[in-house]
Amino acid sequence: MKQSNPIAEPVGQNLIKLISNLCFSVFVFGVLIFTVIAITYKSPDPWLESAPAMTKFFTQSENATFKNDNSILRTGEDLQLSQIAPASAITESSIEKVEEKIASSLELESGCREMTTSPVNCSDPRVLVAVEKFNLRAFKSIAFLEYQTPVSGSRPDECDVAWRFRNKKEKSWRKYRDFRRFKIGIGENCTFKVVHPGGWHSGINARRPKNRYSATTGGATPKISAPIRDDEINDTIPSLGSDVNFRKGRYLYYSRGGDYCKGVNHYLWSILCGLGEARYLNRTFVLDLSMCLSATYSSTNKDEEGKDFRFYFDFEHLKEVASIVEEGEFIRDWKKWNRAHKKKVPVQKVPTYKVSPMQLKRDKSTIIWRQFDAPEPENYWYRVCEGQAERYIQRPWHALWKSKRLMNIVSEISGRMDWDFDAVHVVRGEKAQNKELWPNLDSDTSPDSLVAKLKGMIQPGRNLYVATNEPFYNYFDKLRSYYKVHLLEDYKELWGNTSEWYNETRLLNDGKPVEFDGFMRVAVDTEVLYRAKVRVETFNNLTRDCKDGINTC
Ligand SMILES: *[C@@H]1O[C@H](CO)[C@@H](O)[C@H](O)[C@H]1NC(C)=O
Ligand SMILES: *[C@@H]1O[C@H](CO)[C@@H](O)[C@H](O)[C@H]1NC(C)=O
Ligand SMILES: *[C@@H]1O[C@H](CO)[C@@H](O)[C@H](O)[C@H]1NC(C)=O
Ligand SMILES: *[C@@H]1O[C@H](CO)[C@@H](O)[C@H](O)[C@H]1NC(C)=O
Ligand SMILES: *[C@@H]1O[C@H](CO)[C@@H](O)[C@H](O)[C@H]1NC(C)=O
Ligand SMILES: *[C@@H]1O[C@H](CO)[C@@H](O)[C@H](O)[C@H]1NC(C)=O
Ligand SMILES: *[C@@H]1O[C@H](CO)[C@@H](O)[C@H](O)[C@H]1NC(C)=O
Ligand SMILES: *[C@@H]1O[C@H](CO)[C@@H](O)[C@H](O)[C@H]1NC(C)=O
């Protein structure tokens, strides 16, 4: 290692340094222009449209973005990327086809003979048609995917109906479940109609029994229920199987670098670089599932280690779309192989990010091991993707979605407001205190100012969800005279110790309870915000201060 002492350096050397810095700047500028030209002339690709914007978003004002904008968290499902194969949604015309079939089969019998609401026959297909039609009219932002046959509710004229849906605003095509209780009446022309719809998750009789997990209890005591899990989530850690498989693989292994314990945007920018390089090199990325929660998100105001990746991100989805192996499994198999065979697994150690992905393209070693031992900021993963590499490495944004367990909470909150709400994003926190960079933000987001501004944008009486990093719960009380105000804190039983989320995350955490931390709050706040009908942003809508500080917009 070369050591340089700036104080002892003679003037001449400084001059050389200055000149070389200048040359470097010219070079960087040249590369930039070249990149812009290259991008302009490439064929249309969603990546090339989004990547420069994202690069700008993360790097242009690195300090402001990484250190202060912690109140929002965008992941793959929020970006305008090419969509994954859509599931077919139920539409007016598909319902009409079913209706025609029913009508023609009824003609064979004699009309409406069997129609009664006491008790209503919930498995009569006409009941489902009535519910489907009702839902389509009532929830315009929801795509309904598949219904189960309705079952009886608690009273003779009630039916419980379960279905899967997705929100049209979500780009992930992930499915969620709802089950509601409907009061059914007789309509015109041999049809049923919905007299009264129940609320979110009210149709508990239609809630599917969770067979997959309760089956393991032995079957003798079915009444003592196993913890209720979302059996649609499969984020078990895959194993490589035999050691022959291990040797056949090609891996890209990143040692822990300076990114560890940094903010979440920094983490995303770094991990996506690693995944992007792995894809470029056609290698399996070795993923460390153990994360460190930055102090900015922890309730103790200290960095907290040992957080599971799966608390925050959708590991199942990542497994499906990217080639990854969990670090623990990988190290175990690596050691096992070395022990079992005389010859060691070929490893290429890469000590610095300055060795570019392009230089590694032809390397045939089983493992390419990037070590990030240099002092900060030379040890950030994302530096691998800087400069020239930016043209070759595409960050696979579509691979990282938020944890479905968190998204279930998002659906629950939105569902309880019946998907009919407006939202305001109020950024306060550090930015509001920093009068130098954001001179007006504090006063523009004061309670009185919020009332005055929102009155012009959101109709009185509406459900108003406030996504915010303002810790004081009663801060928004003035808005309550005009709107039905909802804050994340109002839904705390969704992650409290009686919740499904609590049970499920505990299973990932060796049975220890998991705290609903600041990062999770931001994730849920962001997604609820994106589901609102009218969305008011702090920057642009509430204040003229710039998002990244004075004179940046
Ligand atoms: C970021 O902050 C550090 C000190 O905190 C400063 O040295 C550096 O120049 C800043 N970088 C940018 C891009 O503002
Ligand atoms: C309810 O309707 C289904 C489908 O039309 C029919 O098969 C079933 O026999 C009916 N049940 C009763 C009790 O009428
Ligand atoms: C009932 O049938 C009549 C005659 O076929 C039709 O005019 C009327 O619009 C139908 N009503 C509904 C609600 O479909
Ligand atoms: C979960 O996914 C893994 C692959 O990652 C698969 O091997 C396993 O069978 C799945 N488990 C269930 C219960 O579907
Ligand atoms: C990627 O690697 C796999 C196996 O390691 C190989 O079958 C495939 O041909 C490679 N693809 C490219 C584009 O190099
Ligand atoms: C849940 O938390 C409450 C208050 O935090 C506590 O009183 C209660 O005993 C807890 N219940 C369980 C099952 O842990
Ligand atoms: C959570 O687990 C406890 C104990 O295993 C169980 O009694 C409770 O019903 C579960 N709650 C939910 C919402 O799944
Ligand atoms: C917020 O500002 C943006 C950009 O100026 C504008 O397009 C949008 O309509 C505004 N939103 C509301 C609710 O007024």
Side-chain angles (χ1 to χ4, degrees):
M1 281 298 246
K2 205 176 68 185
Q3 288 287 336
S4 70
N5 181 350
I7 300 164
E9 261 172 354
V11 178
Q13 270 194 25
N14 276 337
L15 205 77
I16 290 167
K17 238 183 164 176
L18 190 78
I19 289 167
S20 67
N21 276 349
L22 226 115
C23 289
F24 182 69
S25 306
V26 169
F27 168 73
V28 167
F29 193 65
V31 167
L32 193 78
I33 289 178
F34 181 77
T35 310
V36 167
I37 291 169
I39 283 165
T40 321
Y41 286 94
K42 278 240 182 108
S43 61
D45 173 333
W47 268 107
L48 293 173
E49 283 159 34
S50 61
M54 293 312 295
T55 309
K56 206 170 132 210
F57 171 67
F58 277 100
T59 49
Q60 202 177 46
S61 53
E62 180 178 309
N63 286 353
T65 310
F66 284 172
K67 293 212 177 112
N68 295 310
D69 201 11
N70 292 325
S71 64
I72 203 103
L73 178 73
R74 275 185 278 184
T75 46
E77 60 237 285
D78 308 317
L79 303 169
Q80 288 285 353
L81 301 173
S82 60
Q83 292 190 335
I84 300 148
S88 59
I90 287 160
T91 58
E92 291 280 2
S93 66
S94 71
I95 297 176
E96 272 163 23
K97 279 200 198 106
V98 174
E99 273 189 302
E100 276 165 27
K101 247 192 231 157
I102 297 171
S104 60
S105 73
L106 282 177
E107 271 165 26
L108 299 178
E109 298 165 22
S110 46
C112 301
R113 205 159 26 100
E114 295 170 55
M115 289 195 65
T116 157
T117 53
S118 186
V120 60
N121 179 357
C122 290
S123 48
D124 188 321
R126 287 171 294 180
V127 170
L128 185 55
V129 164
V131 168
E132 288 179 350
K133 281 184 151 177
F134 175 86
N135 278 346
L136 269 191
R137 272 199 312 274
F139 305 110
K140 298 241 185 284
S141 60
I142 302 289
F144 293 91
L145 302 177
E146 48 210 70
Y147 283 88
Q148 283 170 249
T149 306
V151 299
S152 304
S154 65
R155 294 198 298 154
D157 60 347
E158 285 174 350
C159 294
D160 287 5
V161 190
W163 60 83
R164 286 162 193 270
F165 68 91
R166 60 173 290 271
N167 192 285
K168 287 178 185 162
K169 287 184 180 157
E170 187 175 336
K171 312 227 161 34
S172 74
W173 288 99
R174 206 161 19 190
K175 296 175 193 170
Y176 300 91
R177 295 185 75 235
D178 193 5
F179 32 92
R180 294 182 188 234
R181 178 159 292 173
F182 294 88
K183 189 165 183 228
I184 303 291
I186 305 273
E188 273 180 71
N189 298 355
C190 234
T191 60
F192 286 106
K193 67 174 183 199
V194 170
V195 176
H196 177 77
W200 170 258
H201 283 196
S202 54
I204 47 175
N205 291 353
R207 181 182 198 152
R208 201 180 23 181
K210 313 268 173 152
N211 291 327
R212 211 166 81 192
Y213 292 93
S214 50
T216 57
T217 56
T221 52
K223 281 280 166 204
I224 300 168
S225 61
I228 294 172
R229 294 184 55 151
D230 187 333
D231 56 4
E232 283 160 20
I233 300 176
N234 174 8
D235 51 14
T236 51
I237 295 169
S239 73
L240 287 167
S242 70
D243 62 346
V244 178
N245 284 347
F246 177 76
R247 183 61 178 83
K248 271 197 293 197
R250 293 279 177 278
Y251 305 94
L252 176 65
Y253 180 29
Y254 278 26
S255 291
R256 227 170 240 179
D259 319 83
Y260 193 65
C261 298
K262 291 289 189 302
V264 112
N265 284 322
H266 187 146
Y267 176 79
L268 280 183
W269 197 233
S270 284
I271 186 106
L272 286 168
C273 169
L275 289 168
E277 188 187 22
R279 200 166 70 158
Y280 171 76
L281 295 175
N282 194 18
R283 282 173 176 269
T284 298
F285 188 74
V286 180
L287 181 72
D288 183 2
L289 280 184
S290 174
M291 289 174 57
C292 169
L293 183 72
S294 152
T296 38
Y297 296 106
S298 77
S299 56
T300 53
N301 287 323
K302 290 203 191 84
D303 293 343
E304 290 177 6
E305 297 188 76
K307 302 285 181 183
D308 197 304
F309 179 87
R310 295 169 292 178
F311 297 166
Y312 310 106
F313 299 106
D314 188 334
F315 185 55
E316 178 173 19
H317 172 65
L318 182 61
K319 279 193 292 191
E320 276 167 13
V321 300
S323 176
I324 51 163
V325 57
E326 189 267 326
E327 189 186 32
E329 290 281 325
F330 168 77
I331 304 263
R332 209 168 304 135
D333 285 4
W334 183 3
K335 281 194 185 145
K336 208 163 76 188
W337 204 91
N338 276 347
R339 264 202 313 272
H341 305 258
K342 293 268 148 57
K343 228 170 73 204
K344 290 212 152 137
V345 177
V347 179
Q348 175 68 54
K349 289 187 185 171
V350 184
T352 163
Y353 71 88
K354 285 172 187 144
V355 177
S356 73
M358 294 75 84
Q359 289 167 281
L360 296 173
K361 184 81 175 158
R362 288 180 203 291
D363 199 306
K364 294 277 181 288
S365 317
T366 302
I367 301 168
I368 290 182
W369 185 358
R370 279 196 182 271
Q371 297 165 322
F372 294 86
D373 297 330
E376 285 196 60
E378 304 281 295
N379 62 353
Y380 293 154
W381 288 5
Y382 69 77
R383 306 213 60 169
V384 170
C385 296
E386 280 179 351
Q388 282 268 2
E390 216 169 281
R391 289 171 47 220
Y392 296 91
I393 308 290
Q394 296 175 349
R395 284 183 170 81
W397 279 95
H398 66 277
L400 274 194
W401 291 352
K402 294 184 177 79
S403 153
K404 187 162 183 234
R405 297 189 181 87
L406 292 176
M407 296 304 288
N408 281 337
I409 293 180
V410 171
S411 285
E412 182 93 27
I413 294 174
S414 312
R416 287 200 194 172
M417 292 187 276
D418 265 338
W419 306 96
D420 188 21
F421 61 98
D422 301 327
V424 56
H425 180 207
V426 182
V427 178
R428 292 184 50 78
E430 282 175 45
K431 283 189 181 179
Q433 279 159 31
N434 188 335
K435 294 275 192 312
E436 249 170 67
L437 288 177
W438 295 276
N440 307 305
L441 180 61
D442 190 26
S443 59
D444 283 342
T445 56
S446 69
D448 289 318
S449 171
L450 280 175
V451 167
K453 289 191 168 131
L454 289 180
K455 264 162 62 181
M457 295 187 254
I458 293 176
Q459 285 178 3
R462 292 275 299 159
N463 282 320
L464 177 67
Y465 186 85
V466 183
T468 185
N469 58 351
E470 166 60 48
F472 181 45
Y473 179 83
N474 294 105
Y475 190 82
F476 301 98
D477 279 356
K478 282 212 166 130
L479 288 170
R480 291 180 196 276
S481 331
Y482 305 91
Y483 304 106
K484 291 183 213 119
V485 173
H486 302 257
L487 290 159
L488 184 57
E489 200 55 24
D490 297 330
Y491 298 92
K492 58 171 177 259
E493 86 273 6
L494 296 180
W495 57 84
N497 63 9
T498 55
S499 69
E500 209 168 302
W501 182 88
Y502 178 88
N503 277 3
E504 288 182 5
T505 50
R506 222 167 64 150
L507 290 177
L508 293 179
N509 202 33
D510 295 330
K512 293 191 293 285
V514 175
E515 187 195 341
F516 192 75
D517 60 44
F519 178 1
M520 298 165 184
R521 282 171 196 275
V522 169
V524 172
D525 249 5
T526 302
E527 293 301 320
V528 178
L529 180 69
Y530 284 158
R531 280 159 182 66
K533 289 195 170 152
V534 175
R535 198 167 96 206
V536 178
E537 283 292 349
T538 299
F539 301 101
N540 280 334
N541 296 125
L542 296 178
T543 180
R544 280 200 179 153
D545 283 357
C546 302
K547 191 164 157 292
D548 296 324
I550 204 155
N551 294 335
T552 60
C553 52

